[in-house]
Structure formats: C-alpha cells, structure tokens
Amino acid sequence: MEKIIKPVSGFLAFALSVVSLPICIYCFVLFGESHSAVFLWLGILSFLFFLFMAKGIMIISPNHSRVLTFFGKYTGSVKENGLMWVNPLYKSYNISLRSQNLNGQQLKVNDKLGNPIEIAAVIVWRVQDTYRAAFEVANFQQYVQTQSEAAVRHLAVSYAYDQMEDEQADITLRDGGDKVNEMLEKELNDRLAPAGIMVMEARISHLAYAPEIAGAMLQRQQATAIVAARSKIVEGAVGMVEMALAKLSEKQIVELDEERKAAMVSNLLVVLCGESKVSPVVNAGTLHP
C-alpha cells in the first residue's frame, strides 16, 4: 500500500553542496602547492561530501510525486512540493498526479441485439495511489488505455442502441444519457482500481450506427416517424369529424341520414388527412337527387 513520507527540506543540503565544492577545489590547489597528504584527503572528503549532498537533492513540482525505493524495496512516496533532500541511495520514480484526458478511438462493436455500431468515450483520470501505479502494473498509462477500451466495449454489448430496437429496454445507449455515463464511470473505476487510478469523469463522445447499416436504419427511423405523425393526424381528424357531427346535430342545422353521414365523414377525413391541397366542390342543388 502507498506510504506517504515527508523528507527534510533541501535548502540546507543545497547550501552545504555549494560550500563544499569550493572547499574541495581549494584543498586540491593547496595539495598541488605543498604536496601535503592532509590537503589531498580533505579534498577527497569534501568532494565525496558534495556528491552525497547533491545526489539526494530533488525538486518536486506541483501535482507531481516521487516513488522511492531502497535497493529494490519500496520506501515511500513523496507528494510534498518544493526542494527536498532524501537519502542519495534511494532510487526515485517521477509520477504525475495531474488530471489527464483520454480521448478514446472509435470502436466498432455489436450492441445487445447484434447491430454493428460505432462508439467512443472521453475519460478524465488521475493517479490516486502511486504505489499501485508504479508496481502493480507494468505501464499504468497503457493499462488505462487498454482497460478503458474494454469497458466501452462491454458497455456497448450490454445495451441496445435505442428503444426502436428494444422497446422493453429501460436503458439504451442513445437515450440513457447520464445513467449510461455513470455506469461507464463505475465500471472504469472498478477496472482501474488495481493500478491506483481514479476516474473523475467518463462520457460517451461518439455513438452511431456502423456505415453499412446506417442508411437502412435512417430509413427505418424516418418510416417510424411518419407512421407516428400519421397516427396523430388520424386521431385528430376523427375527433374533428366527431365534433362536427355533434355540433350539426345539436344545433339542428341539417339532418343527415346514415348514408350522408358516411359521405360527410369520408370527405372530411380526406380533407384533414390528405397531403395535397383539396379543391372544394360547391353543390348548388338539393341534398337528395
């Protein structure tokens, strides 16, 4: 598990490094003039001290971290920003903690009913556990990309494209909206948790039928829309005819037998439901021949 450590400030180590290097040079100069072994050893010790202090200095930028190991053993993670100093024998790995976007490529998959569709998602993620990101997976960025593609594929095959294909479906890819995005985000968090990755947001960015069936599906959608519109028109026309006959009978404007009522109903339905403009015919004679 991740262990957070707080190293000492690196400003003192930086100051000591800056001071020790001139001392080292000065001792070697004195050794060249006097050939005294004392100055030689002082120069060597000053140089080793400089290497020891300088090697342990590290700079950690905001929203970055360092994972430290000591001869292969995990020591801890540093998430504090600034100039720090750690044991120079530690080996460090830099891991960014910033939020990153993954704009997934368009995948061609079959939905729940077997229709080929194209789907893609945009994912916002960040590293939450540096230990898992560094040691539980080989490459956490590639792991995010591969598991995200698998999650999007699994989502696509679990639901139908829309309710026109599956009228009994409570959730479809096209009409699911935020619910579909929430399910995708949850599955991504479950898949990426072993790598210490937290998904902050996941949304479907592209959803369409595959090109080979897009034309047929468009014609089907248009036909469904036309049928639905016609149903509304017929329903309204029947209501208007019913209202017209009721008003004529109520006000006793004219009395029609069953045959004339049928003719009137037929004419009104043609006028109300027809697409082309109807030319009226004026009857100047009597109602009955």
Side-chain angles (χ1 to χ4, degrees):
M1 296 298 293
E2 183 182 56
K3 180 173 66 175
I4 305 299
I5 61 175
K6 294 184 177 180
V8 298
S9 174
F11 289 99
L12 178 60
F14 178 76
L16 293 175
S17 300
V18 172
V19 172
S20 61
L21 184 60
I23 293 176
C24 172
I25 296 175
Y26 182 68
C27 290
F28 282 121
V29 171
L30 292 178
F31 169 74
E33 294 177 353
S34 63
H35 298 285
S36 173
V38 175
F39 293 113
L40 176 62
W41 284 109
L42 286 176
I44 294 174
L45 291 176
S46 298
F47 181 71
L48 293 177
F49 181 78
F50 166 77
L51 291 179
F52 182 81
M53 300 303 295
K55 180 67 170 57
I57 296 175
M58 61 182 181
I59 300 175
I60 303 179
S61 303
N63 281 328
H64 283 74
S65 67
R66 291 289 184 93
V67 178
L68 305 178
T69 59
F70 184 69
F71 292 103
K73 182 179 180 181
Y74 174 68
T75 304
S77 301
V78 182
K79 292 186 176 181
E80 188 175 350
N81 308 134
L83 185 65
M84 304 295 172
W85 187 85
V86 296
N87 188 332
L89 298 179
Y90 286 167
K91 187 175 182 180
S92 65
Y93 304 90
N94 183 34
I95 294 181
S96 174
L97 303 178
R98 294 176 296 183
S99 299
Q100 302 186 51
N101 280 323
L102 174 62
N103 189 9
Q105 62 179 349
Q106 294 184 12
L107 305 176
K108 186 176 179 181
V109 297
N110 294 333
D111 67 356
K112 182 180 179 181
L113 301 179
N115 297 314
I117 63 173
E118 293 180 347
I119 188 172
V122 174
I123 301 166
V124 182
W125 62 276
R126 61 184 292 270
V127 175
Q128 187 177 33
D129 190 318
T130 55
Y131 172 80
R132 291 183 176 182
F135 302 114
E136 293 292 340
V137 293
N139 186 324
F140 68 89
Q141 292 184 335
Q142 184 178 1
Y143 186 84
V144 170
Q145 185 173 358
T146 303
Q147 291 299 321
S148 299
E149 180 178 331
V152 173
R153 288 183 179 274
H154 181 261
L155 178 71
V157 301
S158 300
Y159 298 96
Y161 179 85
D162 58 16
Q163 288 184 339
M164 186 176 66
E165 296 293 327
D166 188 359
E167 296 180 355
Q168 305 300 324
D170 295 330
I171 299 176
T172 61
L173 297 175
R174 183 180 179 184
D175 301 326
D178 293 337
K179 185 64 176 179
V180 173
N181 295 329
E182 289 175 5
M183 291 187 295
L184 176 60
E185 182 178 334
K186 182 180 182 304
E187 181 169 355
L188 283 170
N189 276 313
D190 293 339
R191 287 176 175 268
L192 299 179
I197 305 299
M198 180 182 68
V199 176
M200 305 170 64
E201 184 181 8
R203 291 189 174 276
I204 301 298
S205 60
H206 175 77
L207 182 64
Y209 282 113
E212 58 265 27
I213 67 167
M217 288 301 178
L218 178 59
Q219 292 179 354
R220 181 175 177 179
Q221 291 175 355
Q222 290 174 344
T224 303
I226 292 174
V227 170
R230 287 293 183 185
S231 299
K232 291 293 183 182
I233 292 174
V234 171
E235 182 180 351
V238 170
M240 295 177 67
V241 170
E242 182 181 3
M243 181 180 64
L245 293 175
K247 288 293 183 180
L248 289 174
S249 177
E250 178 184 350
K251 296 184 178 296
Q252 297 181 353
I253 298 174
V254 63
E255 292 185 3
L256 301 175
D257 56 17
E258 295 301 323
E259 183 180 354
R260 296 301 181 179
K261 284 183 180 180
M264 182 179 179
V265 170
S266 176
N267 292 334
L268 286 175
L269 289 177
V270 170
V271 172
L272 295 173
C273 298
E275 292 185 359
S276 59
K277 185 177 179 181
V278 178
S279 300
V281 177
V282 178
N283 186 5
T286 60
L287 187 61
H288 295 279

